[in-house]
Amino acid sequence: MTQIKVHYQQALSLINTSEIGLFDSETKLHRQKLYEGTGAGSDFLGWIDLPDNTGSGLLERIEDDASIIREESDAVVVIGIGGSYLGARAVIEALSGPLHAAPGPEVLYAGHHLDEEYHHDLLSYLENKEYSVIVISKSGTTTEPAVAFRLIRRQLEEKYGQQKAARRIFAITDARRGALKQLATEQGYASYVIPDDVGGRYSVLTPVGLLPVAAAGVDIRGLLSGARDMAAHLREHHDVFENPAALYAVLRNLLYKKGRTTEILASYTPSLFFFTEWWKQLFGESEGKQGKGIFPAGVSFTTDLHSMGQFIQEGTKNSFETVLTLKKNRKTLTIPEDKDNLDGLNYLTGKRLGFVNEMAARGTMLAHVDGHVPNLEIELPELNAYHLGSLIYFFEMACALSGYMLGVNPFDQPGVEAYKRNMFALLGKPGFEEEAAKLRQRLNS
Amino acid sequence: MTQIKVHYQQALSLINTSEIGLFDSETKLHRQKLYEGTGAGSDFLGWIDLPDNTGSGLLERIEDDASIIREESDAVVVIGIGGSYLGARAVIEALSGPLHAAPGPEVLYAGHHLDEEYHHDLLSYLENKEYSVIVISKSGTTTEPAVAFRLIRRQLEEKYGQQKAARRIFAITDARRGALKQLATEQGYASYVIPDDVGGRYSVLTPVGLLPVAAAGVDIRGLLSGARDMAAHLREHHDVFENPAALYAVLRNLLYKKGRTTEILASYTPSLFFFTEWWKQLFGESEGKQGKGIFPAGVSFTTDLHSMGQFIQEGTKNSFETVLTLKKNRKTLTIPEDKDNLDGLNYLTGKRLGFVNEMAARGTMLAHVDGHVPNLEIELPELNAYHLGSLIYFFEMACALSGYMLGVNPFDQPGVEAYKRNMFALLGKPGFEEEAAKLRQRLNS
């Protein structure tokens, strides 16, 4: 049985248990569509069976390459954007410890934006490092990672020579087509396949996520094992109250229907910052279409209680919170006695900091509920590879179900092309001349 | 004249120029209330004249102490939360370069949350460093920084002995009262005053922000000079179309009245991430009260075009974007030729990465406007201390005016106490016994 729990007691001011039950048959229908591949976007359901279908051969290869990277390199540069970036970073930041003090290469990112100064400084920084590159792109032509890879590959080849550089480059790309696939074949890069039936935001448990996190020292078998157990649990539990993914999907859709158009994912550990970013992409990109969807926002408490807390407590009432809580912390730190007690904290002497953080979380939930902000809670036993794998799969399934409930295809992203077309035109890409003239006119008017 | 410009051409689908003009007399009235101190929250208007009132004696003292920290320390730990944290971090991250490669001590933060593992690892990390501490707290009893300071002070005293440790601690606190003030006096810490008439989120140009940023190597005279020029410009320009702060305040209130209840601050340089966090606190905490206010969200493009882009383009239409753009980049990086051109990027050969980023920004604005998301733009010549100082003052004034337009007191934060009371009760703080029993009952029900 799963150890991830969804609580909704602190949302009962706006919804009630019998309302949830009314969605039982609908969630069963959507689950059936997912498992049988009969719903919208059914070409992109490969993520459902990934935890079971990832063979030990692939895992061994990833672990071997990760070992090589860890032995040969002070730094590993992960080149990718969107779904080819956020999943890996979410897992690495969650599990590597807040100050990245664990042994192993420093993980750096590139091609996740177009900032000139960042990439300039990154190239300078890398000059005196032994480094490897993991480049992730289905097509090999997405502007941001393609530009970054062109720059970094040139420096790597100047540094090591073409042949040795090729042994430090690991490509994760399409099985057959595309610029990166062709280059990898020509140059002899070690390469991994992005499955055709797994979209970017659902790809963290493919080599897209697994190779970078393994290079960072994460236990990928633990990650997959957690996902596998969650997959089995969700498959076996049909009742909405016993299936946490269905339950969470129903809860957020109920709140959305009652005017809560923003969901704030809150956590009390900064290590989950990029996990929250991954969650924002997963839900925002899956649901934000046809003029619908819940706006996904993130807060890191207690930091943001001192910035966004006032708004949540007393501002516009169009949001709800989903609080990620951990039952157990990885490290122990106890508050010491101070004989003068000027700061008045001696009532906490001998208490763990995690206890104070937990009471802050409990107290905040009740305060925000009093401020008419419904709170959901997703409870995780602790932050390790196994439970993080479970949580990833849980959110993926919840997102798919939630998208179906909303009446959208949770596996496409038709809207992300609009800015790219405009950008290509303004950059003078051949073939976009007519569009470019129109855009320039709009910009100058 | 100011070099920061507010553009609204890409919001004209939802608002029009004559509507803006209708607010001319209202903004004049609110400006008068601010300059004459006759509006709500008039005890907290010290920020208005800070750039003019900060004497060279104070600046010299800050610079001297910053030099000592920079000479004696590998790291400086800044302890603070909310307004005692975000302003300094916003400026440091914006100006120190993306990889923090500039010379000088590493800047670390503590007491900005209650994470047990983070503070555990931070203490271990500091053990083998020469370090100094800047502790910022008006009362000295705010839980997060007080706990962190208790822990770090103990370690510092064990490491250096009490006397030498005291010379490495710099306290920024109340002029007369409070736990930290008393401790600073008893122990002989160098100490600075948080003015009584400047609230936390408006305090970045007091020692609260100035000492940490100076310790990080930022030119604080440049920062204040930019703020001073902006202050003069805003004071002298009465017409809403010539006063960028009034104009921005009117624009966002117009959009809010038309149902745009979320404002997304977008920038195209990751160095502005914490500046966006500072902006979120400034506006969210100032406006989010009486069930009103615009929910402040942030995105970092082009990263988030590959995660939040779909939602903004095609999702629920209750937001508008405010895009921070830079006319000039600090570093130069040019896209190289590749003879094979597998990635198809040769049409960009010889172009600067900043140009590509700028065209992404222009193209995205037009795409999002086509997706019925109004776009405002705030244009900054470049990212340096002078212009950042201008931008800070611009936003502070805009926020004050915007709060008055919304009909709230933009200088208080009554809602931030609710969670604290609950937390104290659950932590067993003496005096909260009755509340604790009630809360425990609610949690267990």
Side-chain angles (χ1 to χ4, degrees), chain B residues 384-409:
Chain B
N384 62 23
Y386 177 86
H387 293 303
L388 197 64
S390 283
L391 188 66
I392 285 169
Y393 194 94
F394 159 80
F395 274 129
E396 288 177 347
M397 181 58 79
C399 182
L401 291 170
S402 189
Y404 279 174
M405 290 189 70
L406 190 66
V408 300
N409 175 354

mmCIF file of all heavy atoms in Angstrom, chain B residues 384-409:
data_model
loop_
_atom_site.group_PDB
_atom_site.id
_atom_site.type_symbol
_atom_site.label_atom_id
_atom_site.label_comp_id
_atom_site.label_asym_id
_atom_site.label_seq_id
_atom_site.Cartn_x
_atom_site.Cartn_y
_atom_site.Cartn_z
ATOM 1 N N ASN B 384 22.543 47.460 -13.757
ATOM 2 C CA ASN B 384 23.670 47.896 -12.923
ATOM 3 C C ASN B 384 23.097 48.533 -11.657
ATOM 4 O O ASN B 384 21.872 48.633 -11.502
ATOM 5 C CB ASN B 384 24.585 48.857 -13.689
ATOM 6 C CG ASN B 384 23.867 50.134 -14.111
ATOM 7 O OD1 ASN B 384 22.860 50.527 -13.519
ATOM 8 N ND2 ASN B 384 24.389 50.783 -15.132
ATOM 9 N N ALA B 385 23.986 48.919 -10.749
ATOM 10 C CA ALA B 385 23.517 49.410 -9.452
ATOM 11 C C ALA B 385 22.627 50.644 -9.628
ATOM 12 O O ALA B 385 21.573 50.753 -8.992
ATOM 13 C CB ALA B 385 24.712 49.729 -8.551
ATOM 14 N N TYR B 386 23.037 51.549 -10.497
ATOM 15 C CA TYR B 386 22.269 52.779 -10.690
ATOM 16 C C TYR B 386 20.840 52.483 -11.143
ATOM 17 O O TYR B 386 19.871 52.964 -10.559
ATOM 18 C CB TYR B 386 22.991 53.672 -11.718
ATOM 19 C CG TYR B 386 22.232 54.935 -12.021
ATOM 20 C CD1 TYR B 386 22.387 56.080 -11.234
ATOM 21 C CD2 TYR B 386 21.339 54.993 -13.091
ATOM 22 C CE1 TYR B 386 21.666 57.239 -11.503
ATOM 23 C CE2 TYR B 386 20.616 56.142 -13.363
ATOM 24 C CZ TYR B 386 20.791 57.264 -12.564
ATOM 25 O OH TYR B 386 20.063 58.398 -12.833
ATOM 26 N N HIS B 387 20.705 51.717 -12.217
ATOM 27 C CA HIS B 387 19.366 51.468 -12.751
ATOM 28 C C HIS B 387 18.530 50.571 -11.835
ATOM 29 O O HIS B 387 17.315 50.701 -11.774
ATOM 30 C CB HIS B 387 19.449 50.891 -14.163
ATOM 31 C CG HIS B 387 19.997 51.869 -15.155
ATOM 32 N ND1 HIS B 387 19.426 53.105 -15.373
ATOM 33 C CD2 HIS B 387 21.078 51.817 -15.974
ATOM 34 C CE1 HIS B 387 20.119 53.765 -16.283
ATOM 35 N NE2 HIS B 387 21.134 53.005 -16.663
ATOM 36 N N LEU B 388 19.196 49.677 -11.119
ATOM 37 C CA LEU B 388 18.451 48.845 -10.178
ATOM 38 C C LEU B 388 17.908 49.703 -9.029
ATOM 39 O O LEU B 388 16.768 49.518 -8.587
ATOM 40 C CB LEU B 388 19.358 47.728 -9.645
ATOM 41 C CG LEU B 388 18.612 46.572 -8.985
ATOM 42 C CD1 LEU B 388 17.722 45.838 -9.963
ATOM 43 C CD2 LEU B 388 19.606 45.585 -8.350
ATOM 44 N N GLY B 389 18.711 50.671 -8.580
ATOM 45 C CA GLY B 389 18.238 51.604 -7.556
ATOM 46 C C GLY B 389 17.020 52.381 -8.048
ATOM 47 O O GLY B 389 16.031 52.561 -7.319
ATOM 48 N N SER B 390 17.077 52.820 -9.296
ATOM 49 C CA SER B 390 15.926 53.518 -9.896
ATOM 50 C C SER B 390 14.696 52.630 -9.913
ATOM 51 O O SER B 390 13.585 53.063 -9.588
ATOM 52 C CB SER B 390 16.236 53.923 -11.342
ATOM 53 O OG SER B 390 17.065 55.036 -11.391
ATOM 54 N N LEU B 391 14.911 51.394 -10.319
ATOM 55 C CA LEU B 391 13.794 50.462 -10.472
ATOM 56 C C LEU B 391 13.143 50.162 -9.119
ATOM 57 O O LEU B 391 11.914 50.068 -9.007
ATOM 58 C CB LEU B 391 14.300 49.174 -11.133
ATOM 59 C CG LEU B 391 13.238 48.161 -11.551
ATOM 60 C CD1 LEU B 391 12.351 48.716 -12.663
ATOM 61 C CD2 LEU B 391 13.900 46.859 -12.024
ATOM 62 N N ILE B 392 13.979 50.017 -8.103
ATOM 63 C CA ILE B 392 13.459 49.765 -6.749
ATOM 64 C C ILE B 392 12.566 50.921 -6.313
ATOM 65 O O ILE B 392 11.429 50.724 -5.871
ATOM 66 C CB ILE B 392 14.639 49.573 -5.766
ATOM 67 C CG1 ILE B 392 15.280 48.198 -5.978
ATOM 68 C CG2 ILE B 392 14.188 49.771 -4.322
ATOM 69 C CD1 ILE B 392 16.613 48.010 -5.262
ATOM 70 N N TYR B 393 13.068 52.130 -6.468
ATOM 71 C CA TYR B 393 12.273 53.280 -6.028
ATOM 72 C C TYR B 393 11.001 53.412 -6.861
ATOM 73 O O TYR B 393 9.921 53.707 -6.335
ATOM 74 C CB TYR B 393 13.095 54.574 -6.099
ATOM 75 C CG TYR B 393 12.435 55.702 -5.355
ATOM 76 C CD1 TYR B 393 12.755 55.978 -4.033
ATOM 77 C CD2 TYR B 393 11.457 56.487 -5.969
ATOM 78 C CE1 TYR B 393 12.127 56.991 -3.330
ATOM 79 C CE2 TYR B 393 10.814 57.496 -5.284
ATOM 80 C CZ TYR B 393 11.158 57.750 -3.963
ATOM 81 O OH TYR B 393 10.517 58.757 -3.269
ATOM 82 N N PHE B 394 11.140 53.179 -8.155
ATOM 83 C CA PHE B 394 9.975 53.213 -9.053
ATOM 84 C C PHE B 394 8.882 52.266 -8.564
ATOM 85 O O PHE B 394 7.708 52.641 -8.451
ATOM 86 C CB PHE B 394 10.422 52.835 -10.471
ATOM 87 C CG PHE B 394 9.320 52.341 -11.359
ATOM 88 C CD1 PHE B 394 8.455 53.222 -11.983
ATOM 89 C CD2 PHE B 394 9.131 50.970 -11.555
ATOM 90 C CE1 PHE B 394 7.425 52.762 -12.797
ATOM 91 C CE2 PHE B 394 8.109 50.498 -12.361
ATOM 92 C CZ PHE B 394 7.240 51.402 -12.976
ATOM 93 N N PHE B 395 9.262 51.033 -8.253
ATOM 94 C CA PHE B 395 8.257 50.061 -7.816
ATOM 95 C C PHE B 395 7.679 50.441 -6.454
ATOM 96 O O PHE B 395 6.489 50.249 -6.196
ATOM 97 C CB PHE B 395 8.847 48.646 -7.764
ATOM 98 C CG PHE B 395 8.789 47.906 -9.084
ATOM 99 C CD1 PHE B 395 9.924 47.299 -9.605
ATOM 100 C CD2 PHE B 395 7.593 47.787 -9.790
ATOM 101 C CE1 PHE B 395 9.870 46.593 -10.817
ATOM 102 C CE2 PHE B 395 7.533 47.090 -10.997
ATOM 103 C CZ PHE B 395 8.673 46.495 -11.513
ATOM 104 N N GLU B 396 8.515 50.957 -5.557
ATOM 105 C CA GLU B 396 8.003 51.338 -4.239
ATOM 106 C C GLU B 396 6.928 52.413 -4.372
ATOM 107 O O GLU B 396 5.859 52.322 -3.766
ATOM 108 C CB GLU B 396 9.151 51.820 -3.342
ATOM 109 C CG GLU B 396 10.059 50.678 -2.884
ATOM 110 C CD GLU B 396 11.256 51.128 -2.048
ATOM 111 O OE1 GLU B 396 11.553 52.346 -2.012
ATOM 112 O OE2 GLU B 396 11.911 50.262 -1.445
ATOM 113 N N MET B 397 7.224 53.436 -5.183
ATOM 114 C CA MET B 397 6.251 54.511 -5.353
ATOM 115 C C MET B 397 5.003 54.013 -6.076
ATOM 116 O O MET B 397 3.871 54.341 -5.700
ATOM 117 C CB MET B 397 6.894 55.671 -6.124
ATOM 118 C CG MET B 397 5.978 56.873 -6.332
ATOM 119 S SD MET B 397 5.341 57.603 -4.785
ATOM 120 C CE MET B 397 6.768 58.578 -4.259
ATOM 121 N N ALA B 398 5.205 53.191 -7.105
ATOM 122 C CA ALA B 398 4.060 52.647 -7.841
ATOM 123 C C ALA B 398 3.177 51.825 -6.918
ATOM 124 O O ALA B 398 1.946 51.881 -6.992
ATOM 125 C CB ALA B 398 4.553 51.803 -9.016
ATOM 126 N N CYS B 399 3.801 51.067 -6.026
ATOM 127 C CA CYS B 399 3.055 50.209 -5.116
ATOM 128 C C CYS B 399 2.238 51.039 -4.133
ATOM 129 O O CYS B 399 1.073 50.734 -3.858
ATOM 130 C CB CYS B 399 4.033 49.299 -4.380
ATOM 131 S SG CYS B 399 3.219 48.155 -3.282
ATOM 132 N N ALA B 400 2.842 52.086 -3.604
ATOM 133 C CA ALA B 400 2.121 52.955 -2.665
ATOM 134 C C ALA B 400 0.900 53.570 -3.362
ATOM 135 O O ALA B 400 -0.218 53.556 -2.826
ATOM 136 C CB ALA B 400 3.055 54.040 -2.148
ATOM 137 N N LEU B 401 1.100 54.080 -4.576
ATOM 138 C CA LEU B 401 -0.012 54.695 -5.320
ATOM 139 C C LEU B 401 -1.072 53.660 -5.661
ATOM 140 O O LEU B 401 -2.274 53.902 -5.564
ATOM 141 C CB LEU B 401 0.525 55.336 -6.613
ATOM 142 C CG LEU B 401 1.399 56.579 -6.417
ATOM 143 C CD1 LEU B 401 2.062 56.978 -7.738
ATOM 144 C CD2 LEU B 401 0.569 57.737 -5.867
ATOM 145 N N SER B 402 -0.615 52.482 -6.071
ATOM 146 C CA SER B 402 -1.529 51.425 -6.463
ATOM 147 C C SER B 402 -2.396 50.986 -5.283
ATOM 148 O O SER B 402 -3.593 50.759 -5.423
ATOM 149 C CB SER B 402 -0.722 50.249 -7.019
ATOM 150 O OG SER B 402 -1.566 49.297 -7.600
ATOM 151 N N GLY B 403 -1.790 50.893 -4.101
ATOM 152 C CA GLY B 403 -2.539 50.533 -2.904
ATOM 153 C C GLY B 403 -3.603 51.578 -2.580
ATOM 154 O O GLY B 403 -4.743 51.234 -2.262
ATOM 155 N N TYR B 404 -3.240 52.840 -2.692
ATOM 156 C CA TYR B 404 -4.226 53.903 -2.446
ATOM 157 C C TYR B 404 -5.359 53.827 -3.473
ATOM 158 O O TYR B 404 -6.523 54.022 -3.137
ATOM 159 C CB TYR B 404 -3.555 55.278 -2.480
ATOM 160 C CG TYR B 404 -2.839 55.656 -1.188
ATOM 161 C CD1 TYR B 404 -2.078 56.820 -1.109
ATOM 162 C CD2 TYR B 404 -2.941 54.873 -0.041
ATOM 163 C CE1 TYR B 404 -1.422 57.191 0.057
ATOM 164 C CE2 TYR B 404 -2.276 55.226 1.130
ATOM 165 C CZ TYR B 404 -1.522 56.392 1.179
ATOM 166 O OH TYR B 404 -0.874 56.761 2.338
ATOM 167 N N MET B 405 -5.006 53.549 -4.722
ATOM 168 C CA MET B 405 -6.051 53.428 -5.747
ATOM 169 C C MET B 405 -7.011 52.281 -5.431
ATOM 170 O O MET B 405 -8.212 52.347 -5.705
ATOM 171 C CB MET B 405 -5.430 53.186 -7.132
ATOM 172 C CG MET B 405 -4.691 54.386 -7.686
ATOM 173 S SD MET B 405 -4.221 54.096 -9.419
ATOM 174 C CE MET B 405 -5.835 54.143 -10.199
ATOM 175 N N LEU B 406 -6.431 51.209 -4.861
ATOM 176 C CA LEU B 406 -7.232 50.032 -4.534
ATOM 177 C C LEU B 406 -8.078 50.254 -3.272
ATOM 178 O O LEU B 406 -8.995 49.486 -2.991
ATOM 179 C CB LEU B 406 -6.270 48.853 -4.331
ATOM 180 C CG LEU B 406 -6.825 47.444 -4.204
ATOM 181 C CD1 LEU B 406 -7.478 47.005 -5.514
ATOM 182 C CD2 LEU B 406 -5.707 46.461 -3.835
ATOM 183 N N GLY B 407 -7.726 51.301 -2.528
ATOM 184 C CA GLY B 407 -8.477 51.586 -1.307
ATOM 185 C C GLY B 407 -7.988 50.831 -0.093
ATOM 186 O O GLY B 407 -8.747 50.557 0.840
ATOM 187 N N VAL B 408 -6.719 50.444 -0.091
ATOM 188 C CA VAL B 408 -6.149 49.769 1.083
ATOM 189 C C VAL B 408 -4.965 50.581 1.615
ATOM 190 O O VAL B 408 -4.446 51.463 0.927
ATOM 191 C CB VAL B 408 -5.671 48.328 0.754
ATOM 192 C CG1 VAL B 408 -6.828 47.479 0.243
ATOM 193 C CG2 VAL B 408 -4.513 48.336 -0.251
ATOM 194 N N ASN B 409 -4.563 50.250 2.818
ATOM 195 C CA ASN B 409 -3.347 50.836 3.390
ATOM 196 C C ASN B 409 -2.164 50.005 2.899
ATOM 197 O O ASN B 409 -2.002 48.858 3.314
ATOM 198 C CB ASN B 409 -3.439 50.801 4.917
ATOM 199 C CG ASN B 409 -2.163 51.293 5.585
ATOM 200 O OD1 ASN B 409 -1.150 51.567 4.927
ATOM 201 N ND2 ASN B 409 -2.211 51.417 6.905
#
